[in-house]
Amino acid sequence: MADADRVADLERTIAAQQRTIEALMDAVEQRDLASTPSAFAVWHQHAALADVVERKTRRLRAALDEIRGLHESLTAKTAELEAKRDEAAMLALVARHMESAVLICDAGGCVEWANESFTVQTGHTFAEAVGRRAVDLLLSPEAADEVNARIQARTDRAEAFSVEALSTAKDGRCYPVELDVRPVVSDEGAVWRVVAILRDISARKEAEARLAQAERLESIGELAAGVAHEINTPMQYIGDNLTFLRRAVEVGHPLFALLSDPAVDWAKAAEIVTERHFRFVFDRAPGAIDQALEGVAAVSKIVAAMRAFSRVGSGDAKTLTDVNACVETALTFSRSEWRYVAEVETRLAPDLPLIEADGGAINQVILNLIVNAAQAIRGGARGDASGTITVTTSHDRDAGHVVLEVGDDGPGIPPGIIGRVFDPFFTTKQVGEGTGQGLALAQSIVVKRHGGSIDVSSIPEHATLFTVRLPIESGDSGETTA
Ligand SMILES: Nc1ncnc2c1ncn2[C@@H]1O[C@H](COP(=O)(O)OP(=O)(O)OP(=O)(O)O)[C@@H](O)[C@H]1O
Ligand SMILES: [Mg+2]
């Protein structure tokens, strides 16, 4: 029977008993109690009965109040549970239909629950995943241990965080993912579950690579006129020397024709040698060839630098990179920017270790710093008078990083703005000369992509020094703390 029916039933019983009591009392009162002892006895009996009934009624009323209270709290609890059930159903709906894979793991990282996207993304069914360590299922063995150590360290402190890693699907396909790890803490303060959200970030990575590529191509475009000029000079002397060598061949031709005749006319041959400055031409021919070859080498170097800048696919991949070679490339590429305003002094450490980096992006950082230094010297008080740009590399094995410094003796940076130079779009240059993106991009490449640091110090009116530190081993550069 429902609670409400039971309450109504009790109320009816109480009302019926009250009516009985009242009827009895009426009946008793209508007799002469003093004259009939038997009537008195009846009255007495009835009075006692009425007393009992009244006590019972009181108890029943108290029980009824208690039941009413229970019923009310039961109704409230039911409503609360229903709301919780609705919320749980909604959350399950969200988790089930989320594009990202959602995993609920125990404190040790073993899968307890996974949504459908998990199967779509990884190819593993829930039955295959349950009970297994999530990192073993999703990452390569080397990455799994490393990422797991990080997860463990953070979950022990109940810290939520995100990590980027390469995941391997069941079919062997490798793709970049972002893993959000959120430890869930019990009322006692211990981690009892870990919620992991796995996002496929291939599209984002591709877009970033395309953007990086576009940025590189943009700076090639901006420097194209200067590069064309750089190529033009060696091309000119390659052309001059080839013209000279063609003349040498033309000069030698009649002589060779004469000498190949069995009856050599030596007098004629001697005449040709003298008239056509034969000795002069042939003395200078090797020099002309050397100069032409030098020109070819110079053009090849510029072309190699251009290729290093426009390299396809360098937007993301990190390979072993020689920072000294990046300096050479950036200097070659930016030669037209600095050659008329500054001497460049390089002090490149001969034993510099290779670093795990995106070489194209590092070229870009160095180029931006060198171009800024040249532009600062050109815009400084000395005007076009020659300044000095110093590029130094070194390394700190204990700290595990390579250090690159680009210094100049230009006008320096006033204290009032030095804190803003890395801000995107901050520029002190004329419209059309600078967009204020060079240092923001350099900072993003160094700090975000490579986990390094970039700092600036300056003595106003005298000098500026940018210091870049790049880790030798890349680690996981994509990590962000949530
Ligand atoms: N070596 C330097 N000497 C003096 N000031 C500098 C130097 N390098 C950067 N700055 C200052 O920092 C500002 C920001 O530099 P950033 O490279 O980000 O942008 P930009 O050079 O103005 O424009 P862009 O690089 O987009 O062409 C510059 O406008 C300049 O005021
Ligand atoms: Mg700049």
Side-chain angles (χ1 to χ4, degrees):
M1 195 189 291
D3 289 340
D5 293 344
R6 215 171 275 144
V7 170
D9 213 28
L10 275 170
E11 275 181 334
R12 268 197 302 278
T13 311
I14 291 167
Q17 282 184 347
Q18 259 177 342
R19 277 198 302 280
T20 313
I21 294 165
E22 277 158 18
L24 276 170
M25 296 304 280
D26 283 351
V28 170
E29 274 165 16
Q30 279 163 22
R31 298 177 187 213
D32 183 356
L33 299 177
S35 60
T36 53
S38 58
F40 178 76
V42 169
W43 177 86
H44 190 74
Q45 242 178 9
H46 285 177
L49 188 67
D51 202 29
V52 170
V53 170
E54 205 170 321
R55 265 188 283 121
K56 282 203 166 171
T57 308
R58 265 203 307 275
R59 277 215 298 276
L60 277 169
R61 278 204 188 285
L64 184 68
D65 285 347
E66 202 176 318
I67 287 172
R68 271 211 190 98
L70 279 173
H71 178 249
E72 271 166 23
S73 75
L74 216 64
T75 314
K77 274 256 166 350
T78 311
E80 204 179 300
L81 278 173
E82 272 170 5
K84 279 222 162 84
R85 196 188 57 207
D86 288 350
E87 192 187 347
M90 291 295 180
L91 289 177
L93 206 70
V94 172
R96 196 161 294 138
H97 295 281
M98 247 169 101
E99 209 185 323
S100 306
V102 180
L103 294 167
I104 298 176
C105 304
D106 63 19
C110 294
V111 178
E112 290 189 335
W113 183 88
N115 66 353
E116 283 152 29
S117 296
F118 167 76
T119 304
V120 175
Q121 205 182 108
T122 67
H124 295 288
T125 61
F126 172 54
E128 286 165 352
V130 75
R132 290 184 61 190
R133 233 170 41 141
V135 286
D136 294 335
L137 205 63
L138 302 169
L139 309 175
S140 66
E142 313 83 62
D145 285 342
E146 197 198 321
V147 172
N148 196 53
R150 288 174 187 215
I151 291 176
Q152 224 49 61
R154 304 275 184 105
T155 44
D156 288 350
R157 283 178 272 143
E159 275 176 22
F161 69 99
S162 299
V163 65
E164 280 185 17
L166 268 186
S167 184
T168 315
K170 194 181 171 188
D171 61 7
R173 182 179 63 96
C174 240
Y175 63 105
V177 290
E178 186 176 51
L179 189 62
D180 273 347
V181 181
R182 296 185 176 257
V184 184
V185 179
S186 68
D187 291 344
E188 290 78 44
V191 174
W192 68 291
R193 289 282 188 289
V194 178
V195 176
I197 300 173
L198 188 77
R199 264 185 296 277
D200 180 345
I201 52 169
S202 319
R204 196 183 84 195
K205 285 284 170 191
E206 270 168 37
E208 277 175 9
R210 272 201 298 277
L211 186 67
Q213 176 73 354
E215 277 161 357
R216 254 194 296 281
L217 291 175
E218 193 184 316
S219 47
I220 291 175
E222 279 167 11
L223 295 172
V227 172
H229 180 70
E230 287 301 310
I231 290 179
N232 204 33
T233 312
M235 287 308 275
Q236 251 169 17
Y237 63 79
I238 290 170
D240 291 349
N241 285 309
L242 285 177
T243 310
F244 173 77
L245 289 169
R246 193 179 63 197
R247 274 208 50 228
V249 174
E250 281 167 7
V251 164
H253 217 264
L255 185 65
F256 286 127
L258 207 70
L259 293 177
S260 52
D261 190 335
V264 180
D265 180 349
W266 290 108
K268 182 83 178 152
E271 194 182 302
I272 291 176
V273 168
T274 321
E275 261 182 21
R276 302 214 175 186
H277 311 293
F278 200 81
R279 178 163 295 281
F280 169 80
V281 168
F282 272 80
D283 279 353
R284 273 158 183 72
I289 292 171
D290 286 348
Q291 261 200 358
L293 287 175
E294 266 170 35
V296 169
V299 173
S300 301
K301 201 171 159 192
I302 295 165
V303 170
M306 287 184 77
R307 284 184 54 197
F309 270 91
S310 58
R311 208 167 55 221
V312 179
S314 58
D316 198 19
K318 286 183 187 161
T319 49
L320 287 179
T321 301
D322 179 358
V323 175
N324 285 347
C326 292
V327 170
E328 299 285 2
T329 299
L331 282 174
T332 303
F333 199 67
S334 59
R335 202 172 131 78
S336 60
E337 283 286 326
W338 51 262
R339 68 188 296 194
Y340 300 115
V341 292
E343 291 285 320
V344 171
E345 283 175 12
T346 52
R347 285 193 287 275
L348 308 182
D351 57 345
L352 199 69
L354 301 180
I355 64 166
E356 285 176 43
D358 173 354
I362 302 301
N363 285 340
Q364 182 78 61
V365 171
I366 304 172
L367 179 87
N368 289 359
L369 297 179
I370 292 170
V371 170
N372 275 351
Q375 288 175 342
I377 291 170
R378 194 168 39 235
R382 280 198 312 267
D384 273 355
S386 195
T388 307
I389 297 173
T390 323
V391 187
T392 314
T393 58
S394 59
H395 78 284
D396 183 339
R397 234 181 236 290
D398 294 338
H401 55 229
V402 154
V403 185
L404 166 88
E405 288 174 313
V406 178
D408 67 75
D409 58 358
I413 306 175
I417 64 164
I418 198 162
R420 296 166 61 199
V421 293
F422 294 106
D423 290 354
F425 304 108
F426 175 80
T427 183
T428 53
K429 292 168 193 168
Q430 304 282 320
V431 178
E433 256 185 43
T435 57
Q437 294 194 68
L439 290 177
L441 179 67
Q443 189 182 48
S444 157
I445 292 171
V446 171
V447 180
K448 280 208 198 144
R449 292 248 298 275
H450 292 85
S453 65
I454 179 164
D455 300 291
V456 57
S457 57
S458 184
I459 306 169
E461 319 281 330
H462 283 95
T464 302
L465 179 72
F466 281 88
T467 307
V468 174
R469 290 184 180 83
L470 291 161
I472 296 171
E473 284 174 23
S474 101
D476 183 12
S477 61
E479 186 175 325
T480 54
T481 305

